[in-house]
Amino acid sequence: MSEDDAKAALVAKRIAELEAEMRRNAAMIANLQSLPDSPGYQYAAERIEAIAAEIKELKTPAEEPEPEKDGPPLHSVLMLIGVIVGIYGLSQYVWSAVIIGIVMVCGGVAMKNRDTETG
């Protein structure tokens, strides 16, 4: 069983326990309907609100922190490789390498423009 499955099982078990406790408190409120000022009624009402908040918190997934990027941007690497391939193609008169280098540089520029537009 993976760690995520174990966590999900624990969360499901806790939610089931909270729902059972909520049903007990709802039954207590139903029995004390004629005494809304009694401490038992107020406790059950407050506990139901707390349980509902906890269930909502458990059902919302936790946000995973984004990993830090530790390398250069991909568009810079692509443009550099494209320039190197293009220069090699020009020096050796390999026109297919020149075309591939130009395509790689254009792809790097397009990726840079897309990254700056989306933020």
Side-chain angles (χ1 to χ4, degrees):
M1 180 182 254
S2 72
E3 186 177 324
D4 291 336
D5 292 339
K7 286 181 182 179
L10 287 174
V11 168
K13 181 180 177 184
R14 179 66 180 148
I15 289 173
E17 291 171 355
L18 289 171
E19 288 173 346
E21 186 178 350
M22 186 182 285
R23 283 190 292 274
R24 287 192 300 270
N25 286 321
M28 185 187 311
I29 285 179
N31 291 336
L32 296 173
Q33 197 72 29
S34 61
L35 303 168
D37 294 332
S38 69
Y41 184 92
Q42 292 173 356
Y43 169 79
E46 290 172 2
R47 187 66 187 132
I48 286 176
E49 289 176 9
I51 291 171
E54 189 174 346
I55 289 174
K56 183 178 180 182
E57 182 181 318
L58 286 172
K59 285 187 178 181
T60 56
E63 293 184 20
E64 300 276 333
E66 291 185 24
E68 295 182 19
K69 296 181 179 178
D70 58 350
L74 180 62
H75 61 83
S76 298
V77 173
L78 191 62
M79 288 171 43
L80 178 65
I81 293 172
V83 168
I84 292 171
V85 169
I87 291 172
Y88 169 77
L90 283 174
S91 68
Q92 299 295 320
Y93 298 107
V94 181
W95 301 114
S96 60
V98 173
I99 292 172
I100 291 171
I102 291 171
V103 169
M104 290 177 76
V105 169
C106 292
V109 170
M111 286 178 66
K112 182 178 181 182
N113 290 339
R114 184 194 69 198
D115 288 344
T116 56
E117 288 174 3
T118 59

